[in-house]
Amino acid sequence: MIKITVSASKKYDVIMEQNALNKAAELLSQAEIKSDRKLCIITDKTVNSFYGKESGILWQNLSQAGFRLYKYVFEGGESNKTMSTVTAILDYLADNKFSRSDALIALGGGIVGDVTGFSAASFLRGIDYIQIPTTLLATVDSSVGGKTGVNLKAGKNLAGAFWQPSLVIFDPQVLQSLPQHMILDGIAETIKAGFINDKTIIDEAENNISIGDNRFLTQLAAKAVEVKRKVVEEDERDNGSRQLLNFGHTLAHAIEKCSNYRISHGHAVAKGMAIVSAAADEMAWTSVPCAGKILEILKKFNFPLDCPYSPSQLTEAALQDKKIRGNKITLVIPESIGKCRLKTIATDDLEEFITCGMDALKGM
Ligand SMILES: NC(=O)c1ccc[n+]([C@@H]2O[C@H](COP(=O)([O-])OP(=O)(O)OC[C@H]3O[C@@H](n4cnc5c(N)ncnc54)[C@H](O)[C@@H]3O)[C@@H](O)[C@H]2O)c1
């Protein structure tokens, strides 16, 4: 068992253990979530069919321990990560007389986690929730750190709250049903964590590529969570160093938007890290050249690194990002392998920066 304790505005454990779903009740009890409480499992239709059923391991384990279980299942996908899904969940909790001492369980990927977390933050001005991530991306990124929220018509994640979970439980067994391209989405975020703050992730991923091996994935995921823990503890509300977690993300969000979300987030992050690191090397903003290593590792995992959009298309999409303040944009730049820093540039210079990176990549 791997246990990582996050000490943010709330202190909680991230437990990573094979077959952890079989002992969920015991883990909840250790986190002071007692079995006299009502629990509402919130999940999407796909995850429900794998892990949410009343006959399944998780439900059986919790109900046998005495928890009074409820379940709310919604249609997954970004188009349902909305206020109306949250409102429906809040109404369901109110109809079933949930109180402040009851709790929610987010069983699913990042969308379920974000929607459930925001529902927990809002219901009765805040109740406990437990994250049980079922994608690698949710495990290494969205289940830890307490960013919750939904999309608005104007863009992704524009409404939300910082609300930390009470416990995170990752059972690597759930990865068995996850399609390979979605494992790769999680690998991209894991590699990102390595380049930000932990070179050993890069070394291990390089020497030991085995995306079908749960032990290998769990070890890498634990290291990525450790990076996230440090950053979140330092800057929980994302006013400074937490922005480092956005390495590759300014461009990734632009690529996702230009593709009308056909290119997945993790694959877009891989392309974004490649362009930014190539540009940073060209501009001599890195203390040692980084792009070569970043490309080498991304190519080992067979990430397609071509970008079908022009620098002007990407710039236009990037400048619609909610994080832009005035006429400046903060980029995350690699400084050396395992270390990144923030660099603020004028929005007028962004297109030149992207052009520089895309041109440099053609020769690599
Ligand atoms: N809050 C944060 O800090 C944070 C960080 C990163 C990403 N996010 C958010 O996370 C979301 C993306 O998360 P995601 O990539 O996990 O996507 P997701 O939640 O949409 O899951 C992807 C798909 O996989 C299915 N699925 C989930 N687990 C499965 C399993 N074990 N087996 C088979 N199918 C499974 C889901 O039903 C869904 O169709 C985005 O909305 C993003 O904004 C949030």
Side-chain angles (χ1 to χ4, degrees), residues 44 46-47 50-51 77-78 81 108-112 114 134-135 137-138 141-142 144 147-148 156-157 174-175 177-179 182 228 242 265:
D44 68 30
T46 308
V47 178
F50 284 113
Y51 308 108
E78 290 291 343
K81 185 174 152 180
I111 290 183
V112 167
D114 284 4
T134 61
T135 64
L137 185 137
D141 200 351
S142 57
V144 178
K147 272 194 190 176
T148 73
K156 268 190 78 172
N157 300 328
V174 299
L175 298 181
S177 54
L178 201 63
M182 283 175 51
K228 184 138 192 195
R242 189 165 178 172
H265 181 64

PDB file of all heavy atoms in Angstrom, residues 44 46-47 50-51 77-78 81 108-112 114 134-135 137-138 141-142 144 147-148 156-157 174-175 177-179 182 228 242 265, ligand 1:
ATOM      1  N   ASP A  44     -20.577   8.077 -13.689  1.00  0.00           N
ATOM      2  CA  ASP A  44     -21.198   8.189 -15.016  1.00  0.00           C
ATOM      3  C   ASP A  44     -21.625   6.791 -15.489  1.00  0.00           C
ATOM      4  O   ASP A  44     -21.289   5.778 -14.864  1.00  0.00           O
ATOM      5  CB  ASP A  44     -20.281   8.926 -16.011  1.00  0.00           C
ATOM      6  CG  ASP A  44     -19.021   8.144 -16.373  1.00  0.00           C
ATOM      7  OD1 ASP A  44     -19.043   6.894 -16.371  1.00  0.00           O
ATOM      8  OD2 ASP A  44     -17.996   8.790 -16.660  1.00  0.00           O
ATOM      9  N   THR A  46     -20.820   4.805 -17.943  1.00  0.00           N
ATOM     10  CA  THR A  46     -19.815   3.788 -18.285  1.00  0.00           C
ATOM     11  C   THR A  46     -19.186   3.214 -17.019  1.00  0.00           C
ATOM     12  O   THR A  46     -19.093   1.998 -16.846  1.00  0.00           O
ATOM     13  CB  THR A  46     -18.701   4.421 -19.159  1.00  0.00           C
ATOM     14  OG1 THR A  46     -19.320   5.076 -20.246  1.00  0.00           O
ATOM     15  CG2 THR A  46     -17.718   3.388 -19.641  1.00  0.00           C
ATOM     16  N   VAL A  47     -18.751   4.113 -16.124  1.00  0.00           N
ATOM     17  CA  VAL A  47     -18.073   3.637 -14.911  1.00  0.00           C
ATOM     18  C   VAL A  47     -19.059   2.850 -14.053  1.00  0.00           C
ATOM     19  O   VAL A  47     -18.708   1.841 -13.434  1.00  0.00           O
ATOM     20  CB  VAL A  47     -17.444   4.813 -14.135  1.00  0.00           C
ATOM     21  CG1 VAL A  47     -16.792   4.326 -12.846  1.00  0.00           C
ATOM     22  CG2 VAL A  47     -16.415   5.532 -14.998  1.00  0.00           C
ATOM     23  N   PHE A  50     -19.131  -0.702 -14.947  1.00  0.00           N
ATOM     24  CA  PHE A  50     -17.956  -1.489 -14.526  1.00  0.00           C
ATOM     25  C   PHE A  50     -17.856  -1.647 -13.002  1.00  0.00           C
ATOM     26  O   PHE A  50     -17.584  -2.721 -12.498  1.00  0.00           O
ATOM     27  CB  PHE A  50     -16.663  -0.817 -15.004  1.00  0.00           C
ATOM     28  CG  PHE A  50     -16.389  -0.990 -16.470  1.00  0.00           C
ATOM     29  CD1 PHE A  50     -16.423   0.103 -17.323  1.00  0.00           C
ATOM     30  CD2 PHE A  50     -16.077  -2.241 -17.003  1.00  0.00           C
ATOM     31  CE1 PHE A  50     -16.151  -0.042 -18.671  1.00  0.00           C
ATOM     32  CE2 PHE A  50     -15.804  -2.396 -18.350  1.00  0.00           C
ATOM     33  CZ  PHE A  50     -15.842  -1.285 -19.194  1.00  0.00           C
ATOM     34  N   TYR A  51     -18.024  -0.519 -12.274  1.00  0.00           N
ATOM     35  CA  TYR A  51     -17.650  -0.525 -10.845  1.00  0.00           C
ATOM     36  C   TYR A  51     -18.724  -0.011  -9.886  1.00  0.00           C
ATOM     37  O   TYR A  51     -18.500   0.015  -8.681  1.00  0.00           O
ATOM     38  CB  TYR A  51     -16.364   0.303 -10.639  1.00  0.00           C
ATOM     39  CG  TYR A  51     -15.278  -0.129 -11.566  1.00  0.00           C
ATOM     40  CD1 TYR A  51     -14.892   0.672 -12.640  1.00  0.00           C
ATOM     41  CD2 TYR A  51     -14.668  -1.379 -11.412  1.00  0.00           C
ATOM     42  CE1 TYR A  51     -13.915   0.241 -13.523  1.00  0.00           C
ATOM     43  CE2 TYR A  51     -13.700  -1.815 -12.293  1.00  0.00           C
ATOM     44  CZ  TYR A  51     -13.325  -0.994 -13.354  1.00  0.00           C
ATOM     45  OH  TYR A  51     -12.376  -1.430 -14.233  1.00  0.00           O
ATOM     46  N   GLY A  77     -19.011  12.857 -20.138  1.00  0.00           N
ATOM     47  CA  GLY A  77     -18.622  13.765 -21.224  1.00  0.00           C
ATOM     48  C   GLY A  77     -18.640  15.221 -20.797  1.00  0.00           C
ATOM     49  O   GLY A  77     -19.404  15.608 -19.909  1.00  0.00           O
ATOM     50  N   GLU A  78     -17.784  16.025 -21.481  1.00  0.00           N
ATOM     51  CA  GLU A  78     -17.674  17.448 -21.129  1.00  0.00           C
ATOM     52  C   GLU A  78     -19.019  18.176 -21.240  1.00  0.00           C
ATOM     53  O   GLU A  78     -19.293  19.108 -20.504  1.00  0.00           O
ATOM     54  CB  GLU A  78     -16.660  18.159 -22.044  1.00  0.00           C
ATOM     55  CG  GLU A  78     -15.210  17.780 -21.812  1.00  0.00           C
ATOM     56  CD  GLU A  78     -14.632  18.257 -20.482  1.00  0.00           C
ATOM     57  OE1 GLU A  78     -15.212  19.145 -19.849  1.00  0.00           O
ATOM     58  OE2 GLU A  78     -13.594  17.697 -20.084  1.00  0.00           O
ATOM     59  N   LYS A  81     -20.718  18.171 -18.012  1.00  0.00           N
ATOM     60  CA  LYS A  81     -20.019  18.733 -16.836  1.00  0.00           C
ATOM     61  C   LYS A  81     -20.546  20.159 -16.666  1.00  0.00           C
ATOM     62  O   LYS A  81     -19.884  21.149 -16.993  1.00  0.00           O
ATOM     63  CB  LYS A  81     -18.498  18.711 -17.099  1.00  0.00           C
ATOM     64  CG  LYS A  81     -17.650  19.140 -15.937  1.00  0.00           C
ATOM     65  CD  LYS A  81     -16.176  18.935 -16.256  1.00  0.00           C
ATOM     66  CE  LYS A  81     -15.321  19.902 -15.504  1.00  0.00           C
ATOM     67  NZ  LYS A  81     -13.891  19.731 -15.773  1.00  0.00           N
ATOM     68  N   GLY A 108     -15.140   7.692 -10.647  1.00  0.00           N
ATOM     69  CA  GLY A 108     -14.996   7.904 -12.087  1.00  0.00           C
ATOM     70  C   GLY A 108     -13.757   8.682 -12.446  1.00  0.00           C
ATOM     71  O   GLY A 108     -12.820   8.821 -11.651  1.00  0.00           O
ATOM     72  N   GLY A 109     -13.775   9.228 -13.662  1.00  0.00           N
ATOM     73  CA  GLY A 109     -12.652  10.026 -14.152  1.00  0.00           C
ATOM     74  C   GLY A 109     -12.757  11.462 -13.654  1.00  0.00           C
ATOM     75  O   GLY A 109     -13.506  11.768 -12.713  1.00  0.00           O
ATOM     76  N   GLY A 110     -12.015  12.336 -14.308  1.00  0.00           N
ATOM     77  CA  GLY A 110     -11.945  13.731 -13.882  1.00  0.00           C
ATOM     78  C   GLY A 110     -13.276  14.452 -13.956  1.00  0.00           C
ATOM     79  O   GLY A 110     -13.540  15.345 -13.146  1.00  0.00           O
ATOM     80  N   ILE A 111     -14.113  14.072 -14.899  1.00  0.00           N
ATOM     81  CA  ILE A 111     -15.404  14.767 -15.015  1.00  0.00           C
ATOM     82  C   ILE A 111     -16.282  14.453 -13.806  1.00  0.00           C
ATOM     83  O   ILE A 111     -16.831  15.360 -13.163  1.00  0.00           O
ATOM     84  CB  ILE A 111     -16.094  14.394 -16.353  1.00  0.00           C
ATOM     85  CG1 ILE A 111     -15.293  15.041 -17.490  1.00  0.00           C
ATOM     86  CG2 ILE A 111     -17.568  14.813 -16.353  1.00  0.00           C
ATOM     87  CD1 ILE A 111     -15.832  14.867 -18.870  1.00  0.00           C
ATOM     88  N   VAL A 112     -16.381  13.177 -13.466  1.00  0.00           N
ATOM     89  CA  VAL A 112     -17.153  12.801 -12.276  1.00  0.00           C
ATOM     90  C   VAL A 112     -16.549  13.470 -11.033  1.00  0.00           C
ATOM     91  O   VAL A 112     -17.269  13.995 -10.177  1.00  0.00           O
ATOM     92  CB  VAL A 112     -17.179  11.258 -12.115  1.00  0.00           C
ATOM     93  CG1 VAL A 112     -17.680  10.864 -10.737  1.00  0.00           C
ATOM     94  CG2 VAL A 112     -18.041  10.627 -13.203  1.00  0.00           C
ATOM     95  N   ASP A 114     -14.757  16.267 -10.766  1.00  0.00           N
ATOM     96  CA  ASP A 114     -14.984  17.722 -10.718  1.00  0.00           C
ATOM     97  C   ASP A 114     -16.441  18.058 -10.376  1.00  0.00           C
ATOM     98  O   ASP A 114     -16.715  18.973  -9.593  1.00  0.00           O
ATOM     99  CB  ASP A 114     -14.622  18.366 -12.067  1.00  0.00           C
ATOM    100  CG  ASP A 114     -13.105  18.493 -12.262  1.00  0.00           C
ATOM    101  OD1 ASP A 114     -12.351  18.017 -11.401  1.00  0.00           O
ATOM    102  OD2 ASP A 114     -12.682  19.074 -13.282  1.00  0.00           O
ATOM    103  N   THR A 134     -11.008   6.549 -11.445  1.00  0.00           N
ATOM    104  CA  THR A 134     -10.957   5.320 -12.256  1.00  0.00           C
ATOM    105  C   THR A 134     -10.211   5.529 -13.570  1.00  0.00           C
ATOM    106  O   THR A 134     -10.159   4.623 -14.392  1.00  0.00           O
ATOM    107  CB  THR A 134     -12.379   4.789 -12.550  1.00  0.00           C
ATOM    108  OG1 THR A 134     -13.079   5.790 -13.295  1.00  0.00           O
ATOM    109  CG2 THR A 134     -13.136   4.451 -11.283  1.00  0.00           C
ATOM    110  N   THR A 135      -9.689   6.736 -13.798  1.00  0.00           N
ATOM    111  CA  THR A 135      -8.767   6.918 -14.934  1.00  0.00           C
ATOM    112  C   THR A 135      -7.391   7.267 -14.361  1.00  0.00           C
ATOM    113  O   THR A 135      -7.291   7.758 -13.231  1.00  0.00           O
ATOM    114  CB  THR A 135      -9.207   8.056 -15.880  1.00  0.00           C
ATOM    115  OG1 THR A 135      -9.164   9.297 -15.172  1.00  0.00           O
ATOM    116  CG2 THR A 135     -10.592   7.838 -16.451  1.00  0.00           C
ATOM    117  N   LEU A 137      -5.532   9.623 -15.488  1.00  0.00           N
ATOM    118  CA  LEU A 137      -5.459  11.089 -15.413  1.00  0.00           C
ATOM    119  C   LEU A 137      -6.088  11.610 -14.123  1.00  0.00           C
ATOM    120  O   LEU A 137      -5.530  12.475 -13.441  1.00  0.00           O
ATOM    121  CB  LEU A 137      -6.157  11.712 -16.631  1.00  0.00           C
ATOM    122  CG  LEU A 137      -6.034  13.222 -16.722  1.00  0.00           C
ATOM    123  CD1 LEU A 137      -5.723  13.650 -18.158  1.00  0.00           C
ATOM    124  CD2 LEU A 137      -7.286  13.935 -16.251  1.00  0.00           C
ATOM    125  N   ALA A 138      -7.227  11.054 -13.753  1.00  0.00           N
ATOM    126  CA  ALA A 138      -7.864  11.485 -12.503  1.00  0.00           C
ATOM    127  C   ALA A 138      -7.001  11.103 -11.307  1.00  0.00           C
ATOM    128  O   ALA A 138      -6.921  11.844 -10.324  1.00  0.00           O
ATOM    129  CB  ALA A 138      -9.256  10.864 -12.390  1.00  0.00           C
ATOM    130  N   ASP A 141      -3.886  13.493 -11.272  1.00  0.00           N
ATOM    131  CA  ASP A 141      -4.100  14.931 -11.355  1.00  0.00           C
ATOM    132  C   ASP A 141      -5.386  15.387 -10.661  1.00  0.00           C
ATOM    133  O   ASP A 141      -5.356  15.948  -9.564  1.00  0.00           O
ATOM    134  CB  ASP A 141      -4.102  15.355 -12.836  1.00  0.00           C
ATOM    135  CG  ASP A 141      -3.832  16.831 -13.017  1.00  0.00           C
ATOM    136  OD1 ASP A 141      -3.820  17.553 -12.006  1.00  0.00           O
ATOM    137  OD2 ASP A 141      -3.637  17.279 -14.149  1.00  0.00           O
ATOM    138  N   SER A 142      -6.560  15.089 -11.248  1.00  0.00           N
ATOM    139  CA  SER A 142      -7.769  15.790 -10.794  1.00  0.00           C
ATOM    140  C   SER A 142      -8.285  15.349  -9.424  1.00  0.00           C
ATOM    141  O   SER A 142      -8.982  16.113  -8.759  1.00  0.00           O
ATOM    142  CB  SER A 142      -8.883  15.650 -11.832  1.00  0.00           C
ATOM    143  OG  SER A 142      -9.170  14.316 -12.092  1.00  0.00           O
ATOM    144  N   VAL A 144      -6.665  14.889  -6.724  1.00  0.00           N
ATOM    145  CA  VAL A 144      -5.888  15.480  -5.621  1.00  0.00           C
ATOM    146  C   VAL A 144      -5.808  16.989  -5.822  1.00  0.00           C
ATOM    147  O   VAL A 144      -5.626  17.451  -6.950  1.00  0.00           O
ATOM    148  CB  VAL A 144      -4.461  14.887  -5.610  1.00  0.00           C
ATOM    149  CG1 VAL A 144      -3.611  15.520  -4.518  1.00  0.00           C
ATOM    150  CG2 VAL A 144      -4.521  13.388  -5.436  1.00  0.00           C
ATOM    151  N   LYS A 147      -9.432  21.151  -6.693  1.00  0.00           N
ATOM    152  CA  LYS A 147     -10.070  22.023  -7.683  1.00  0.00           C
ATOM    153  C   LYS A 147     -11.302  21.302  -8.204  1.00  0.00           C
ATOM    154  O   LYS A 147     -11.206  20.179  -8.716  1.00  0.00           O
ATOM    155  CB  LYS A 147      -9.124  22.287  -8.856  1.00  0.00           C
ATOM    156  CG  LYS A 147      -8.225  23.463  -8.671  1.00  0.00           C
ATOM    157  CD  LYS A 147      -7.605  23.824 -10.014  1.00  0.00           C
ATOM    158  CE  LYS A 147      -6.529  24.838  -9.844  1.00  0.00           C
ATOM    159  NZ  LYS A 147      -5.834  25.136 -11.109  1.00  0.00           N
ATOM    160  N   THR A 148     -12.457  21.922  -8.039  1.00  0.00           N
ATOM    161  CA  THR A 148     -13.702  21.297  -8.486  1.00  0.00           C
ATOM    162  C   THR A 148     -14.415  22.283  -9.404  1.00  0.00           C
ATOM    163  O   THR A 148     -14.139  23.478  -9.345  1.00  0.00           O
ATOM    164  CB  THR A 148     -14.632  21.002  -7.296  1.00  0.00           C
ATOM    165  OG1 THR A 148     -15.183  22.253  -6.838  1.00  0.00           O
ATOM    166  CG2 THR A 148     -13.901  20.332  -6.146  1.00  0.00           C
ATOM    167  N   LYS A 156     -14.350  26.080 -20.588  1.00  0.00           N
ATOM    168  CA  LYS A 156     -14.170  24.975 -19.645  1.00  0.00           C
ATOM    169  C   LYS A 156     -13.848  25.476 -18.237  1.00  0.00           C
ATOM    170  O   LYS A 156     -13.091  26.442 -18.075  1.00  0.00           O
ATOM    171  CB  LYS A 156     -12.999  24.107 -20.117  1.00  0.00           C
ATOM    172  CG  LYS A 156     -13.443  22.953 -21.010  1.00  0.00           C
ATOM    173  CD  LYS A 156     -12.286  21.982 -21.250  1.00  0.00           C
ATOM    174  CE  LYS A 156     -12.086  21.083 -20.049  1.00  0.00           C
ATOM    175  NZ  LYS A 156     -11.111  20.006 -20.277  1.00  0.00           N
ATOM    176  N   ASN A 157     -14.383  24.802 -17.245  1.00  0.00           N
ATOM    177  CA  ASN A 157     -14.015  25.009 -15.832  1.00  0.00           C
ATOM    178  C   ASN A 157     -14.164  26.451 -15.363  1.00  0.00           C
ATOM    179  O   ASN A 157     -13.380  26.935 -14.547  1.00  0.00           O
ATOM    180  CB  ASN A 157     -12.556  24.567 -15.585  1.00  0.00           C
ATOM    181  CG  ASN A 157     -12.347  23.100 -15.904  1.00  0.00           C
ATOM    182  OD1 ASN A 157     -13.255  22.282 -15.743  1.00  0.00           O
ATOM    183  ND2 ASN A 157     -11.165  22.761 -16.367  1.00  0.00           N
ATOM    184  N   VAL A 174      -8.750  -0.924 -11.534  1.00  0.00           N
ATOM    185  CA  VAL A 174      -9.721  -0.253 -12.415  1.00  0.00           C
ATOM    186  C   VAL A 174      -9.107   0.097 -13.776  1.00  0.00           C
ATOM    187  O   VAL A 174      -9.846   0.342 -14.740  1.00  0.00           O
ATOM    188  CB  VAL A 174     -10.321   1.026 -11.777  1.00  0.00           C
ATOM    189  CG1 VAL A 174     -11.076   0.722 -10.503  1.00  0.00           C
ATOM    190  CG2 VAL A 174      -9.254   2.097 -11.538  1.00  0.00           C
ATOM    191  N   LEU A 175      -7.773   0.091 -13.851  1.00  0.00           N
ATOM    192  CA  LEU A 175      -7.151   0.457 -15.131  1.00  0.00           C
ATOM    193  C   LEU A 175      -7.340  -0.643 -16.179  1.00  0.00           C
ATOM    194  O   LEU A 175      -7.152  -0.405 -17.373  1.00  0.00           O
ATOM    195  CB  LEU A 175      -5.654   0.743 -14.939  1.00  0.00           C
ATOM    196  CG  LEU A 175      -5.323   1.917 -14.005  1.00  0.00           C
ATOM    197  CD1 LEU A 175      -3.820   2.111 -13.915  1.00  0.00           C
ATOM    198  CD2 LEU A 175      -5.987   3.211 -14.472  1.00  0.00           C
ATOM    199  N   SER A 177      -9.907  -1.899 -17.393  1.00  0.00           N
ATOM    200  CA  SER A 177     -10.969  -1.646 -18.368  1.00  0.00           C
ATOM    201  C   SER A 177     -10.755  -0.348 -19.140  1.00  0.00           C
ATOM    202  O   SER A 177     -11.570   0.025 -19.974  1.00  0.00           O
ATOM    203  CB  SER A 177     -12.326  -1.604 -17.648  1.00  0.00           C
ATOM    204  OG  SER A 177     -12.268  -0.661 -16.581  1.00  0.00           O
ATOM    205  N   LEU A 178      -9.649   0.349 -18.845  1.00  0.00           N
ATOM    206  CA  LEU A 178      -9.439   1.662 -19.455  1.00  0.00           C
ATOM    207  C   LEU A 178      -8.752   1.504 -20.816  1.00  0.00           C
ATOM    208  O   LEU A 178      -7.702   0.868 -20.900  1.00  0.00           O
ATOM    209  CB  LEU A 178      -8.555   2.499 -18.511  1.00  0.00           C
ATOM    210  CG  LEU A 178      -8.595   4.001 -18.672  1.00  0.00           C
ATOM    211  CD1 LEU A 178      -9.979   4.572 -18.391  1.00  0.00           C
ATOM    212  CD2 LEU A 178      -7.575   4.654 -17.738  1.00  0.00           C
ATOM    213  N   PRO A 179      -9.341   2.091 -21.887  1.00  0.00           N
ATOM    214  CA  PRO A 179      -8.693   1.974 -23.208  1.00  0.00           C
ATOM    215  C   PRO A 179      -7.278   2.557 -23.190  1.00  0.00           C
ATOM    216  O   PRO A 179      -6.998   3.495 -22.435  1.00  0.00           O
ATOM    217  CB  PRO A 179      -9.609   2.805 -24.124  1.00  0.00           C
ATOM    218  CG  PRO A 179     -10.896   2.938 -23.401  1.00  0.00           C
ATOM    219  CD  PRO A 179     -10.588   2.845 -21.932  1.00  0.00           C
ATOM    220  N   MET A 182      -6.461   6.236 -23.300  1.00  0.00           N
ATOM    221  CA  MET A 182      -6.733   6.988 -22.060  1.00  0.00           C
ATOM    222  C   MET A 182      -5.651   6.737 -21.008  1.00  0.00           C
ATOM    223  O   MET A 182      -5.388   7.609 -20.174  1.00  0.00           O
ATOM    224  CB  MET A 182      -8.119   6.641 -21.536  1.00  0.00           C
ATOM    225  CG  MET A 182      -9.155   7.388 -22.379  1.00  0.00           C
ATOM    226  SD  MET A 182     -10.807   6.959 -21.978  1.00  0.00           S
ATOM    227  CE  MET A 182     -10.772   7.161 -20.273  1.00  0.00           C
ATOM    228  N   LYS A 228       2.314  16.710  -7.067  1.00  0.00           N
ATOM    229  CA  LYS A 228       1.117  17.546  -6.922  1.00  0.00           C
ATOM    230  C   LYS A 228       0.927  17.942  -5.458  1.00  0.00           C
ATOM    231  O   LYS A 228       0.566  19.080  -5.153  1.00  0.00           O
ATOM    232  CB  LYS A 228      -0.111  16.798  -7.460  1.00  0.00           C
ATOM    233  CG  LYS A 228      -1.348  17.667  -7.422  1.00  0.00           C
ATOM    234  CD  LYS A 228      -2.237  17.576  -8.625  1.00  0.00           C
ATOM    235  CE  LYS A 228      -3.263  18.695  -8.597  1.00  0.00           C
ATOM    236  NZ  LYS A 228      -4.372  18.522  -9.505  1.00  0.00           N
ATOM    237  N   ARG A 242       1.474  26.954  -8.009  1.00  0.00           N
ATOM    238  CA  ARG A 242       0.603  25.878  -8.528  1.00  0.00           C
ATOM    239  C   ARG A 242       0.467  25.976 -10.047  1.00  0.00           C
ATOM    240  O   ARG A 242       0.168  24.991 -10.722  1.00  0.00           O
ATOM    241  CB  ARG A 242      -0.769  25.927  -7.838  1.00  0.00           C
ATOM    242  CG  ARG A 242      -1.643  24.718  -8.175  1.00  0.00           C
ATOM    243  CD  ARG A 242      -2.829  24.555  -7.258  1.00  0.00           C
ATOM    244  NE  ARG A 242      -3.644  23.421  -7.674  1.00  0.00           N
ATOM    245  CZ  ARG A 242      -4.664  22.928  -6.997  1.00  0.00           C
ATOM    246  NH1 ARG A 242      -5.001  23.456  -5.839  1.00  0.00           N
ATOM    247  NH2 ARG A 242      -5.354  21.899  -7.449  1.00  0.00           N
ATOM    248  N   HIS A 265      -7.204  15.633 -23.947  1.00  0.00           N
ATOM    249  CA  HIS A 265      -6.411  16.541 -23.121  1.00  0.00           C
ATOM    250  C   HIS A 265      -4.955  16.066 -22.989  1.00  0.00           C
ATOM    251  O   HIS A 265      -4.013  16.827 -23.244  1.00  0.00           O
ATOM    252  CB  HIS A 265      -7.071  16.665 -21.745  1.00  0.00           C
ATOM    253  CG  HIS A 265      -6.344  17.587 -20.830  1.00  0.00           C
ATOM    254  ND1 HIS A 265      -6.211  18.937 -21.074  1.00  0.00           N
ATOM    255  CD2 HIS A 265      -5.686  17.352 -19.673  1.00  0.00           C
ATOM    256  CE1 HIS A 265      -5.508  19.488 -20.109  1.00  0.00           C
ATOM    257  NE2 HIS A 265      -5.183  18.553 -19.241  1.00  0.00           N
TER     258      HIS A 265
HETATM  259  N1  LIG B   1      -9.781  19.281 -10.961  1.00  0.00           N
HETATM  260  C1  LIG B   1      -8.581  19.182 -11.470  1.00  0.00           C
HETATM  261  O1  LIG B   1      -7.566  19.515 -10.842  1.00  0.00           O
HETATM  262  C2  LIG B   1      -8.433  18.623 -12.852  1.00  0.00           C
HETATM  263  C3  LIG B   1      -7.160  18.297 -13.341  1.00  0.00           C
HETATM  264  C4  LIG B   1      -7.067  17.715 -14.597  1.00  0.00           C
HETATM  265  C5  LIG B   1      -8.212  17.470 -15.341  1.00  0.00           C
HETATM  266  N2  LIG B   1      -9.439  17.811 -14.836  1.00  0.00           N
HETATM  267  C6  LIG B   1     -10.666  17.542 -15.586  1.00  0.00           C
HETATM  268  O2  LIG B   1     -10.768  16.140 -15.770  1.00  0.00           O
HETATM  269  C7  LIG B   1     -11.572  15.877 -16.916  1.00  0.00           C
HETATM  270  C8  LIG B   1     -10.929  14.771 -17.715  1.00  0.00           C
HETATM  271  O3  LIG B   1     -10.841  13.624 -16.903  1.00  0.00           O
HETATM  272  P1  LIG B   1     -10.676  12.166 -17.546  1.00  0.00           P
HETATM  273  O4  LIG B   1      -9.630  12.171 -18.594  1.00  0.00           O
HETATM  274  O5  LIG B   1     -10.547  11.220 -16.416  1.00  0.00           O
HETATM  275  O6  LIG B   1     -12.017  11.997 -18.368  1.00  0.00           O
HETATM  276  P2  LIG B   1     -13.488  11.428 -18.039  1.00  0.00           P
HETATM  277  O7  LIG B   1     -13.867  11.656 -16.668  1.00  0.00           O
HETATM  278  O8  LIG B   1     -14.380  11.947 -19.121  1.00  0.00           O
HETATM  279  O9  LIG B   1     -13.318   9.894 -18.346  1.00  0.00           O
HETATM  280  C9  LIG B   1     -13.063   9.515 -19.672  1.00  0.00           C
HETATM  281  C10 LIG B   1     -13.981   8.389 -20.150  1.00  0.00           C
HETATM  282  O10 LIG B   1     -13.524   7.177 -19.587  1.00  0.00           O
HETATM  283  C11 LIG B   1     -14.583   6.458 -18.985  1.00  0.00           C
HETATM  284  N3  LIG B   1     -13.970   5.734 -17.878  1.00  0.00           N
HETATM  285  C12 LIG B   1     -13.554   6.244 -16.689  1.00  0.00           C
HETATM  286  N4  LIG B   1     -12.951   5.282 -15.969  1.00  0.00           N
HETATM  287  C13 LIG B   1     -12.981   4.156 -16.707  1.00  0.00           C
HETATM  288  C14 LIG B   1     -12.503   2.829 -16.504  1.00  0.00           C
HETATM  289  N5  LIG B   1     -11.813   2.490 -15.416  1.00  0.00           N
HETATM  290  N6  LIG B   1     -12.719   1.916 -17.475  1.00  0.00           N
HETATM  291  C15 LIG B   1     -13.355   2.270 -18.621  1.00  0.00           C
HETATM  292  N7  LIG B   1     -13.828   3.496 -18.883  1.00  0.00           N
HETATM  293  C16 LIG B   1     -13.629   4.431 -17.924  1.00  0.00           C
HETATM  294  C17 LIG B   1     -15.568   7.526 -18.589  1.00  0.00           C
HETATM  295  O11 LIG B   1     -16.875   7.001 -18.531  1.00  0.00           O
HETATM  296  C18 LIG B   1     -15.429   8.521 -19.745  1.00  0.00           C
HETATM  297  O12 LIG B   1     -16.213   8.118 -20.839  1.00  0.00           O
HETATM  298  C19 LIG B   1     -11.687  17.195 -17.657  1.00  0.00           C
HETATM  299  O13 LIG B   1     -12.981  17.702 -17.517  1.00  0.00           O
HETATM  300  C20 LIG B   1     -10.679  18.104 -16.977  1.00  0.00           C
HETATM  301  O14 LIG B   1     -11.068  19.457 -17.002  1.00  0.00           O
HETATM  302  C21 LIG B   1      -9.565  18.366 -13.606  1.00  0.00           C
END
